[in-house]
Amino acid sequence: MFYKNVLVMVVPMILQMLVTNFVSMLDNIMLGRVGTEQMSGASIVNQYVFIFIISTFGAVSGPSIFGAQFFGKRDFKGQMYTFRYRLFICLIIAVVFALLFCFFDDSLISLFLSKDDSAEKRNATLEYGKTYMSIMILSLIPNAVRQAYASIVSECGETKIPMAASMTAVAVNLVLDYGLIFGKLAMPELGVAGAAVATVIAKFVEAAVIIVWVHTHTSRCRFIDGAFKGIGIPFVLALDITKKGLPLLVNEFLWAAGMSVIAQCYSVRGLDVVAARNIATTISNLFSTFYVQLGVCVSIIVGAKLGANKLRDARDTDNKLLFFSIMASVAVGICLLPIARFFPMLYKTSGDVRAIASYMIVITALSFPMMSYTNACYFTLRSGGKTGITFLFDFGFTWLIIIPAAFVLAYLTRLPIRPMFAVITFAEIIKVAIGYFMVRSDIWLNNIVDDK
């Protein structure tokens, strides 16, 4: 019964992210059919869009800790205040990233261009990337608003709604991608610009669907009552959210930035590696959806039990979810392995790029159980408000261990990309050991809204 209830909650969340990643994959494949430079230019820009998305995820993480526990306590006014907070912070982040994209596009994209590649290849990738980025700026605001709404709707157990919004958006995105990239369905042939336009429109559609649903189902979304009748948030609550949430926001931003720094270290080995990693990441992201969303599920389910002051039940539930997450990732990794050989063939690129991509997919699939466990540990620690520790757990590992190792291997050795990628990926075992001892210590078993 326990796992059945977990599946009822997590399956819509998985489907939402799965469909989104699937369409992103199709988008990527379509660009890959146009040319390697177009695909690489968009891929580089998406590194920065990824940082933005993860930053907004981090921005709602702090309020979500309180929101989940307020919901468990049935304090809807408190939950409403957390909604205001996350909406404000997400919009601020969107404006900051828009300014960066406007004024530093050339510099940001050039970081991923290796001097070992021809000038013609570098210039083409740069121009395609700038075109893509100039349009993707428009997606930041709807993305931010959607993140604020989706996070709190999920806390209320309405996980099917964000899924429905995403499915609607990806259907729009898929049709527009096909039409605008290749000039089909009576649409203009815009190539890489068409892919960006399609994404922007889809993001507006996704945000609109979830916003309309929330405001037409107020009985199921009690938090929205009075949410826009003012802008105030009780000072003590806002301060508490900031104290708990700022480490999470900074952590998510630095983690995502760290992933981009690692990608930049890989790019030192040439644009072929950039293209190969883009291909491998596209399919890996699709399969990693399962363990990523199971981690979010840990935060929601365990957080609600902590808010209801059921500490022993929270510990038992967390142990079951950790086990379930690992087993699911093993199964998913096994399914990904045979795809590694064939997936890169869908791209119009060189044999070297395809071979490197296949290798990266295999290595990533083998690392899934480790990634799943550390992801679930992160959300376990977060559910109890231990945001300072989660900051050290995620940020500390990435910036103090992984990035220095990647920098040394990239810039101070001539180690080929294959062993370099394997060493960096399997270093996750260190984080597994750290996560194990942190979760076993029970330092996360806290009710942080009992006196709110």
Side-chain angles (χ1 to χ4, degrees):
M1 180 60 72
F2 172 80
Y3 291 112
K4 179 181 178 181
N5 292 335
V6 171
L7 288 173
V8 168
M9 170 173 283
V10 79
V11 166
M13 296 167 64
I14 289 175
L15 288 176
Q16 173 198 350
M17 192 173 179
L18 193 64
V19 172
T20 300
N21 286 340
F22 180 71
V23 173
S24 295
M25 181 185 74
L26 294 178
D27 183 13
N28 193 274
I29 292 173
M30 290 181 198
L31 278 179
R33 299 298 299 174
V34 175
T36 302
E37 288 76 20
Q38 290 90 331
M39 178 183 68
S40 295
S43 172
I44 291 170
V45 173
N46 282 329
Q47 288 287 336
Y48 297 109
V49 175
F50 171 72
I51 297 175
F52 163 74
I53 292 173
I54 296 298
S55 295
T56 57
F57 173 77
V60 302
S61 295
S64 291
I65 296 172
F66 289 84
Q69 294 201 14
F70 275 131
F71 182 76
K73 189 181 176 182
R74 314 307 290 173
D75 182 350
F76 300 111
K77 189 172 184 179
Q79 195 183 25
M80 179 269 286
Y81 287 132
T82 72
F83 170 69
R84 284 183 182 173
Y85 188 102
R86 66 189 90 192
L87 190 59
F88 293 153
I89 193 69
C90 284
L91 289 174
I92 290 171
I93 292 171
V95 171
V96 171
F97 271 82
L99 293 174
L100 290 174
F101 285 8
C102 279
F103 296 108
F104 299 98
D105 55 345
D106 201 304
S107 300
L108 291 171
I109 296 168
S110 295
L111 289 173
F112 287 83
L113 304 179
S114 173
K115 294 180 179 179
D116 294 335
D117 291 300
S118 67
E120 181 182 1
K121 198 172 186 177
R122 292 199 309 270
N123 290 336
T125 302
L126 176 61
E127 290 305 313
Y128 286 126
K130 289 172 66 175
T131 298
Y132 189 81
M133 181 176 276
S134 66
I135 299 170
M136 286 297 290
I137 291 174
L138 301 175
S139 72
L140 301 182
I141 293 295
N143 227 324
V145 174
R146 183 209 64 83
Q147 184 72 273
Y149 272 85
S151 63
I152 196 164
V153 167
S154 295
E155 288 168 15
C156 299
E158 302 288 350
T159 54
K160 293 180 181 179
I161 306 309
M163 178 192 71
S166 291
M167 287 186 170
T168 303
V170 296
V172 171
N173 198 6
L174 183 58
V175 172
L176 292 178
D177 269 339
Y178 178 68
L180 293 173
I181 292 176
F182 301 111
K184 304 293 185 180
L185 306 175
M187 300 182 197
E189 184 178 351
L190 301 178
V192 69
V197 170
T199 299
V200 169
I201 294 174
K203 290 303 176 185
F204 273 100
V205 169
E206 184 176 12
V209 169
I210 194 167
I211 290 170
V212 170
W213 185 88
V214 167
H215 288 273
T216 55
H217 293 78
T218 54
S219 62
R220 293 161 68 178
C221 302
R222 302 275 295 278
F223 68 86
I224 205 64
D225 184 28
F228 293 98
K229 291 181 179 178
I231 59 173
I233 301 170
F235 177 77
V236 173
L237 177 59
L239 187 62
D240 285 346
I241 293 176
T242 302
K243 287 179 180 178
K244 295 291 184 183
L246 187 59
L248 289 174
L249 170 57
V250 174
N251 174 73
E252 294 295 344
F253 170 77
L254 291 177
W255 176 81
M259 294 300 102
S260 292
V261 171
I262 294 169
Q264 193 279 327
C265 289
Y266 290 142
S267 73
V268 171
R269 297 293 184 260
L271 279 171
D272 280 358
V273 174
V274 174
R277 187 174 178 276
N278 172 62
I279 294 170
T281 302
T282 298
I283 187 66
S284 299
N285 284 347
L286 184 69
F287 280 76
S288 67
T289 296
F290 294 87
Y291 75 73
V292 169
Q293 292 299 76
L294 278 168
V296 177
C297 189
V298 168
S299 180
I300 294 172
I301 295 176
V302 175
K305 289 187 179 297
L306 291 174
N309 222 29
K310 299 177 180 178
L311 304 188
R312 183 177 297 180
D313 194 16
R315 183 195 294 111
D316 181 60
T317 298
D318 187 69
N319 288 335
K320 293 177 181 177
L321 289 172
L322 284 170
F323 173 77
F324 186 62
S325 183
I326 294 172
M327 291 300 101
S329 68
V330 169
V332 170
I334 291 173
C335 293
L336 178 57
L337 284 173
I339 298 175
R341 179 181 177 184
F342 304 104
F343 182 74
M345 295 180 183
L346 297 174
Y347 290 78
K348 184 181 178 182
T349 188
S350 68
D352 287 343
V353 170
R354 290 172 179 161
I356 296 171
S358 293
Y359 176 84
M360 288 180 168
I361 294 170
V362 169
I363 294 299
T364 302
L366 294 175
S367 73
F368 270 8
M370 293 186 297
M371 301 294 184
S372 174
Y373 183 75
T374 56
N375 180 66
C377 287
Y378 169 83
F379 281 102
T380 297
L381 297 169
R382 204 190 81 172
S383 66
K386 292 297 180 180
T387 56
I389 292 175
T390 58
F391 176 79
L392 294 174
F393 180 62
D394 230 17
F395 162 79
F397 175 76
T398 301
W399 284 87
L400 300 180
I401 297 176
I402 296 299
I403 288 178
F407 182 86
V408 168
L409 293 177
Y411 289 96
L412 302 182
T413 76
R414 294 188 176 183
L415 190 69
I417 186 58
R418 286 177 172 83
M420 177 183 172
F421 184 80
V423 168
I424 298 304
T425 301
F426 288 129
E428 187 77 9
I429 190 66
I430 299 172
K431 194 175 181 182
V432 168
I434 296 172
Y436 174 79
F437 287 110
M438 282 186 169
V439 172
R440 292 278 292 182
S441 71
D442 288 344
I443 57 175
W444 52 276
L445 284 171
N446 300 291
N447 181 340
I448 62 173
V449 300
D450 201 34
D451 57 346
K452 297 287 186 293

